Amino acid sequence: MAATGCSWLGVLVGIFCGLLGIIFNHFLPMFLKRGSDHVPKGSFGWPILGETLGFLKPHASNSLGKFLQDHCSRYGKVFKSHLFFSPTVVSCDQELNYFILQNEGKLFQCSYPKPIHGILGNVSMLVAVGDTHKRLRNVALSLVNITKSKPEFLNDIERTTIQILNSWKDKKQVMFCEEARKFTFNVIVKQVLGLTPEEPETTKILKDFLTFMKGLISLPLYIPGTPYARAVQARSRISSTVKAIIEERRRNVDCRSKRRSDFLEILLSVDTLSEDEKVSFVLDSLLGGYETTSLLMAMVVHFLANSPTALDQLKLEHQNIRSMKEKDEYLNWEDYKNMEFTQNVISEALRYGNIVKFVHRKALQDVKFGGYLIPSGWKVLPVFTAVHLDSSLHASALQFHPWRWETQDQTCKKFTPFGGGSRCCPGSELAKVEVAFFLYHLVQNFRWRTEDVEQDQPIAYPYVEFQRGLMLHLEECSILSPE
């Protein structure tokens, strides 16, 4: 009994010491910095959790949400808080956001919560820093530049689009988020690994990938059976499958000659990446090409359903492009570049819908900017949504209005849907091509309406999703498919 008592006493002492460590590591810096007038005003909230729960409270993605509205009203566009177990500066300011993004690796560094590392792996492009990130990004940019205008890639997108839309024949309604994910997965798995939907490896990867995605937005508890634990295990299985495909490529020359156009074939000849980095690169490509692209498609379709004028102009643009082509002729890169209003619609969906609400950074040293001091080691969250929905920067900011992009620069600092600086998403152009080609066939072959906007709209959790899957009620016009 005495031994048991001592054991429990040891546990209690350990817990107490752990709590003291948290207090000293996370709260002491706050109090030391509080004396400085330059640190932004704000509130640290509850012990340990701080204001994290309020910050993450679900809200419509085309709104700031109650937390940011209240804090900006009370403290201004830049304020301090305590989020994700760290003292934090939150920026809803255009100039500061731009400054943070442009000083990646100098004054600031990518700093996602450790549970994200547990699922993605430490050499994922999303969480990697320094030389590792630079090498991965350079390969990604090279692959995108090689791929984006290639007829093989563009034809794959169009064929996959037509397969999806042909499956809608005689259907009165479809769950669009599911259809969009099916489309983007089939496109990206073909482009990255050279696999078709019919191959057994595709089914295997998709099953594990869905488990992986569920865990990515779950509570980070590595306990057997939890979504997080299953996601970590699913990533391991996907890695094993990809490694097996890589080994098959290296052994089978005939296999390589058939699939020379996919990402993996090019990756095999890249000497600057390790084997683990190549596998992680494949996972990153699947993740970026699957979830964010399908969500962008859903947002475009959702907003167009409530903007008949924009939908009519979009349809007219695509009819004009079709009238200049031979029957059953595939779309090409020049056609994409001529889809000017289509690209305006996509840009407006990105601005208004906000697929990425904020990104995680931390200060590498004390940083002074615009009268503020950002203490070294503090987390920094540049909030893109706040800039995108700022009425002083975008006229009628809380309205879906694609025509604004006829005069507004899409590359300016007040529009950062894909991030900025050295961490700007390298695959953004591929995503826009996929959405544009899908819309080309969708608007000419179907009319649709959605459920009540209030009941099924994009919600930030902070990861954005449609709560009910975006049910579309369809009216078929005709199906035109190239041979």
Side-chain angles (χ1 to χ4, degrees), residues 253-264:
V253 177
D254 293 335
C255 175
R256 295 186 69 177
S257 64
K258 289 178 186 176
R259 295 169 172 168
R260 278 176 289 189
S261 61
D262 59 43
F263 279 12
L264 188 56

Side-chain angles (χ1 to χ4, degrees), residues 351-395:
R351 181 201 68 83
Y352 187 54
N354 296 289
I355 293 175
V356 178
K357 177 179 177 179
F358 64 95
V359 290
H360 294 259
R361 299 290 184 268
K362 77 173 178 181
L364 296 175
Q365 61 188 61
D366 282 359
V367 179
K368 293 183 179 180
F369 181 87
Y372 296 115
L373 169 67
I374 302 174
S376 176
W378 280 35
K379 184 175 281 289
V380 185
L381 302 183
V383 181
F384 302 150
T385 303
V387 176
H388 291 166
L389 301 179
D390 189 334
S391 58
S392 69
L393 301 174
H394 306 274

Side-chain angles (χ1 to χ4, degrees), residues 143 146-147 150 152-153 156 190-194 249 255-266:
L143 284 171
I146 292 170
T147 300
K150 279 173 41 179
E152 296 94 334
F153 173 61
D156 280 341
K190 178 70 172 9
Q191 186 53 44
V192 175
L193 295 171
R249 291 288 185 95
C255 175
R256 295 186 69 177
S257 64
K258 289 178 186 176
R259 295 169 172 168
R260 278 176 289 189
S261 61
D262 59 43
F263 279 12
L264 188 56
E265 192 61 36
I266 301 171

Side-chain angles (χ1 to χ4, degrees), residues 35-220:
S36 172
D37 294 333
H38 300 293
V39 175
K41 297 178 181 179
S43 168
F44 293 115
W46 294 91
I48 303 177
L49 279 179
E51 298 184 303
T52 306
L53 296 181
F55 180 77
L56 296 178
K57 188 174 182 180
H59 61 88
S61 71
N62 57 346
S63 72
L64 278 183
K66 188 174 185 300
F67 179 90
L68 288 179
Q69 286 177 339
D70 289 349
H71 281 64
C72 287
S73 174
R74 190 180 305 172
Y75 306 117
K77 291 183 178 180
V78 180
F79 58 89
K80 67 183 176 185
S81 183
H82 191 263
L83 303 170
F84 306 103
F85 304 105
S86 175
T88 303
V89 169
V90 179
S91 170
C92 296
D93 178 75
Q94 171 198 350
E95 295 295 338
L96 180 52
N97 285 4
Y98 183 76
F99 178 77
I100 293 167
L101 296 176
Q102 293 302 312
N103 282 280
E104 170 72 27
K106 303 170 188 173
L107 302 177
F108 303 95
Q109 182 174 280
C110 177
S111 180
Y112 281 86
K114 289 194 180 297
I116 296 292
H117 292 246
I119 293 183
L120 296 179
N122 289 326
V123 291
S124 166
M125 201 185 313
L126 182 66
V127 299
V129 297
D131 289 341
T132 300
H133 177 263
K134 189 179 296 184
R135 282 187 285 108
L136 289 167
R137 179 174 167 76
N138 286 341
V139 172
L141 289 171
S142 175
L143 284 171
V144 168
N145 287 332
I146 292 170
T147 300
K148 65 181 182 183
S149 60
K150 279 173 41 179
E152 296 94 334
F153 173 61
L154 302 180
N155 294 349
D156 280 341
I157 294 174
E158 198 165 4
R159 277 192 291 265
T160 306
T161 296
I162 291 164
Q163 288 171 0
I164 295 291
L165 295 184
N166 275 328
S167 74
W168 293 5
K169 281 183 176 181
D170 304 322
K171 290 184 179 179
K172 297 297 183 183
Q173 57 189 34
V174 294
M175 195 68 76
F176 186 76
C177 287
E178 290 180 7
E179 299 294 302
R181 290 190 181 106
K182 187 191 305 180
F183 166 76
T184 57
F185 185 81
N186 288 345
V187 169
I188 198 64
V189 81
K190 178 70 172 9
Q191 186 53 44
V192 175
L193 295 171
L195 298 174
T196 63
E198 297 77 24
E199 295 184 68
E201 293 99 329
T202 304
T203 303
K204 185 178 180 182
I205 290 172
L206 178 58
K207 182 180 179 181
D208 283 328
F209 198 74
L210 293 175
T211 303
F212 171 82
M213 289 302 304
K214 288 178 182 176
L216 198 58
I217 55 174
S218 66
L219 288 174

Side-chain angles (χ1 to χ4, degrees), residues 369-431:
F369 181 87
Y372 296 115
L373 169 67
I374 302 174
S376 176
W378 280 35
K379 184 175 281 289
V380 185
L381 302 183
V383 181
F384 302 150
T385 303
V387 176
H388 291 166
L389 301 179
D390 189 334
S391 58
S392 69
L393 301 174
H394 306 274
S396 303
L398 299 182
Q399 294 179 16
F400 180 78
H401 188 73
W403 296 272
R404 76 176 72 248
W405 300 104
E406 292 174 357
T407 56
Q408 187 169 315
D409 183 5
Q410 297 185 16
T411 61
C412 67
K413 62 178 75 172
K414 59 185 177 183
F415 182 57
T416 54
F418 298 105
S422 63
R423 300 193 78 92
C424 186
C425 176
S428 58
E429 195 71 50
L430 299 185

